[in-house]
Amino acid sequence: MVEDLIGSRRGLLFILSSPSGAGKSTISRSLLADEPNLTFSVSATTRAPRPNEQDGREYFFKTRAEFEAMIEAGELLEHAEVFGNLYGTPISPVEAAIANGQDVLFDIDWQGGQQIANSTLQDAVVSVFILPPSLAELEKRLKSRAQDSDDIIAGRMAKSMGEINHWSEYDYVLVNRDLDECAAEVTDILQAERLRRRRRPGLVEFVQKLNREFEGSTS
Ligand code: 5GP
């Protein structure tokens, strides 16, 4: 395969943001299931686990004191307060993954996306924002989850527009009218970004080899 000849590349940081309920988690899951070279960045959070969430799988669940100690120790690539809870991205798994050529998927809000886009890893960042098809649909999706109280849902609806208004800071913006179609678009973005010239350091050597072969064939 040509890819094998072209050599390894540094992984990319694939940021997916959207207001809660726009389908981001479902799209993340389908992407992770289909893409063996993509790992999920498990965030730390001070919010309580929801039913079916496991420590270390969806999140690392921390007390506020534990979370603040992580900030103090410089263990987080970014952190932000979202809906009254702290969320943050542990840095060391991200660095290890991209050094190994693994891409990393982030399900984080606009504040985290902005911090990573301005970090020392900014060259590796690709960001995608997912919009709901309408506010009514967003509300319907939030209600059908039934995992949070009405108060929390109302609070999230109120904040959704705030999140949505950051759409223009992202590289790609998709409208999730159909989950499968939107997931396919996200996959296409990932594939195209992997093929960017600047992410393929082995190309220089590959083309030099083509030149050597050409010179050999004409001498
Ligand atoms: P939830 O509590 O519904 O899982 O997530 C609430 C919001 O926090 C979502 O918009 C989610 O993307 C965001 N979030 C999750 N992890 C992180 C993180 O590590 N950093 C930041 N900035 N936001 C996060």
Side-chain angles (χ1 to χ4, degrees):
M1 214 172 106
V2 173
E3 272 309 305
D4 297 335
L5 297 174
I6 291 176
S8 62
R9 61 179 176 89
R10 199 162 76 120
L12 54 85
L13 308 184
F14 201 64
I15 298 176
L16 271 190
S17 298
S18 76
S20 301
K24 179 182 51 174
S25 305
T26 314
I27 290 170
S28 299
R29 272 197 297 276
S30 105
L31 202 61
L32 288 161
D34 293 348
E35 294 287 336
N37 198 43
L38 185 69
T39 58
F40 182 64
S41 165
V42 180
S43 296
T45 183
T46 60
R47 90 147 158 72
R50 295 188 183 123
N52 304 323
E53 285 184 335
Q54 252 177 43
D55 189 39
R57 192 180 62 188
E58 282 81 10
Y59 285 103
F60 295 108
F61 294 100
K62 303 284 178 193
T63 63
R64 201 162 256 263
E66 285 168 341
F67 195 101
E68 281 163 1
M70 291 176 84
I71 300 174
E72 200 62 27
E75 291 172 17
L76 299 177
L77 175 58
E78 60 75 36
H79 61 90
E81 182 135 5
V82 188
F83 313 124
N85 290 304
L86 295 170
Y87 293 82
T89 303
I91 192 165
S92 61
V94 174
E95 286 180 339
I98 62 171
N100 272 329
Q102 280 252 312
D103 302 318
V104 184
L105 177 67
F106 298 81
D107 173 343
I108 60 178
D109 84 326
W110 67 270
Q111 303 173 82
Q114 214 173 58
Q115 289 175 57
I116 297 180
N118 291 321
S119 75
T120 52
L121 300 175
Q122 58 182 255
D123 282 358
V125 170
V126 177
S127 61
V128 181
F129 196 88
I130 300 174
L131 289 168
S134 67
L135 216 56
E137 182 62 29
L138 183 71
E139 188 165 17
K140 200 173 107 193
R141 287 181 198 169
L142 273 180
K143 282 189 173 152
S144 68
R145 277 197 198 169
Q147 284 174 353
D148 293 310
S149 70
D150 283 355
D151 272 4
I152 290 178
I153 290 172
R156 289 188 172 190
M157 278 304 291
K159 288 186 172 119
S160 287
M161 279 321 294
E163 181 84 21
I164 285 172
N165 286 333
H166 287 275
W167 67 276
S168 65
E169 292 155 25
Y170 285 74
D171 298 324
Y172 297 89
V173 180
L174 306 176
V175 179
N176 183 11
R177 290 199 180 83
D178 175 277
L179 213 52
D180 290 340
E181 261 173 42
C182 192
E185 285 170 345
V186 174
T187 304
D188 289 347
I189 293 167
L190 178 62
Q191 302 297 10
E193 289 287 343
R194 282 172 170 163
L195 293 174
R196 268 192 192 272
R197 188 184 66 223
R198 66 184 160 88
R199 300 218 164 90
R200 305 166 80 204
L203 272 180
V204 173
E205 209 180 300
F206 183 73
V207 175
Q208 281 168 351
K209 185 173 150 285
L210 292 181
N211 271 295
R212 281 196 302 277
E213 280 173 12
F214 176 69
E215 280 156 23
S217 74
T218 54
S219 60

